[in-house]
């Protein structure tokens, strides 16, 4: 079955430093979604990428979808304490049968050192 | 207020007892999902339903059962056959697999 790997598993950064998490799929994707889960909370949708090579920005967050539609990245510029949490990618493979389902990555837990 | 509601937030059960977790949504979504999250780990899919009266097993369905008799409700039963049931359970819904998922607040189940 499909495998979705995220690296790193943990990242500790000083406030103000940049942060990047990477998501890699074993299969070609139809789309990829990104979610953020605050400590003690539930995942909240951030964005969806659909097109090969797509880049989307949300304030300090930049999301990229690889040219081959097998990998993606989330980059945060100048981290703030409000960025603390676990970031998950969720990948939907291309399917000819319409029965594929979203698979979540293992997540990257971001902690900020004030 | 539209959204997805899980209850209860915390649940304690004795080993060997079945327990049912509630999940209700008023977003008129066709698809609903149950995930399990263990400390420091990602989300693993237990069951999902794309339409009323139909559901499919996810990656870790053993020891769990679901029903989808109504569009807005997708209860999950953790049976005594589940060998390690203590976990954080998340319910989600979406218009389809291609659209964003909305998550409930989660139920933290502890079996003693």
């Amino acid at each position: 079955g499909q495998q979705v790997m995220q690296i790193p598993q943990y990242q500790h950064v000083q406030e103000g430093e940049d942060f990047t998490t990477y998501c890699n799929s074993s299969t070609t994707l139809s789309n990829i979604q990104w979610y953020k889960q605050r400590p003690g909370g539930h995942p909240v949708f951030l964005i969806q990428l659909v097109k090969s090579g797509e880049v989307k920005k949300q304030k300090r967050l930049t999301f990229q979808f690889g040219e081959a539609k097998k990998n993606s990245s989330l980059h945060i510029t100048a981290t703030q304490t409000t960025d603390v949490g676990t970031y998950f990618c969720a990948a939907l493979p291309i399917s000819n049968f319409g029965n594929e389902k979203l698979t979540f990555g293992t997540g990257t837990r971001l902690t900020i050192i004030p | 207020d539209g959204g997805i509601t899980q209850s209860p937030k915390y649940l304690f059960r004795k080993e060997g007892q079945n327990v049912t977790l509630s999940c209700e949504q008023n977003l008129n979504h066709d698809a609903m999902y149950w995930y399990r999250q263990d400390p420091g780990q990602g989300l693993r899919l237990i069951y999902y339903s794309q339409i009323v009266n139909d559901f499919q097993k996810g990656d870790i369905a053993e020891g769990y059962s679901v029903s989808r008799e109504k569009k807005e409700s997708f209860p999950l039963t953790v049976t005594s056959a589940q060998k390690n049931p203590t976990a954080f359970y998340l319910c989600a819904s979406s218009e389809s697999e291609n659209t964003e998922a909305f998550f409930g607040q989660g139920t933290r189940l502890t079996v003693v």
Side-chain angles (χ1 to χ4, degrees), chain B residues 13-57:
Chain B
R13 277 295 181 270
K14 290 185 178 180
E15 195 173 333
Q17 290 181 335
N18 291 356
V19 60
T20 297
L21 281 58
S22 168
C23 179
E24 303 278 330
Q25 54 101 358
N26 60 6
L27 300 167
N28 200 34
H29 286 167
D30 284 318
M32 296 188 75
Y33 315 85
W34 274 105
Y35 293 92
R36 171 181 171 139
Q37 187 174 33
D38 294 285
Q41 296 192 27
L43 283 68
R44 292 186 289 168
L45 184 64
I46 305 172
Y47 269 97
Y48 64 106
S49 168
Q50 294 174 314
I51 199 166
V52 175
N53 291 321
D54 188 41
F55 48 83
Q56 288 81 40
K57 293 182 179 180

Side-chain angles (χ1 to χ4, degrees), chain A residues 31 35 37 42 48 92 101, chain B residues 37 45 98-99 101 104-105:
Chain A
N31 67 62
Y35 292 80
Q37 183 177 24
H42 59 280
Q48 178 171 281
L92 183 68
K101 58 188 186 300
Chain B
Q37 187 174 33
L45 184 64
N98 276 311
T99 59
Q105 300 289 325

Side-chain angles (χ1 to χ4, degrees), chain A residues 9-10 30-31 33 35 37 41-43 45 48 88 92 98-102 104-106 109, chain B residues 35 37 40-43 45 48 50 57-59 88 90 97-101 103-105 108:
Chain A
Q9 189 174 4
Y10 301 96
S30 171
N31 67 62
Q33 300 172 6
Y35 292 80
Q37 183 177 24
H42 59 280
F45 175 82
Q48 178 171 281
F88 293 98
L92 183 68
N99 59 352
E100 296 296 339
K101 58 188 186 300
L102 211 58
F104 277 79
T106 46
R109 179 181 285 184
Chain B
Y35 293 92
Q37 187 174 33
Q41 296 192 27
L43 283 68
L45 184 64
Y48 64 106
Q50 294 174 314
K57 293 182 179 180
D59 301 315
F88 187 47
L90 285 159
E97 312 83 65
N98 276 311
T99 59
E100 66 177 282
F103 283 83
Q105 300 289 325
R108 196 166 298 278

Side-chain angles (χ1 to χ4, degrees), chain A residues 6-30:
Chain A
Q6 251 184 284
I7 55 170
Q9 189 174 4
Y10 301 96
Q11 187 80 58
H12 312 283
V13 300
Q14 290 274 354
E15 187 174 7
E17 290 183 342
D18 293 356
F19 159 77
T20 304
T21 174
Y22 300 91
C23 182
N24 297 292
S25 168
S26 57
T27 59
T28 305
L29 302 173
S30 171

Side-chain angles (χ1 to χ4, degrees), chain B residues 63-79:
Chain B
Y64 300 96
S65 66
V66 293
S67 63
R68 186 84 188 276
E69 297 176 2
K70 297 186 294 183
K71 188 174 186 178
E72 58 269 24
S73 179
F74 192 38
L76 173 74
T77 297
V78 184
T79 75

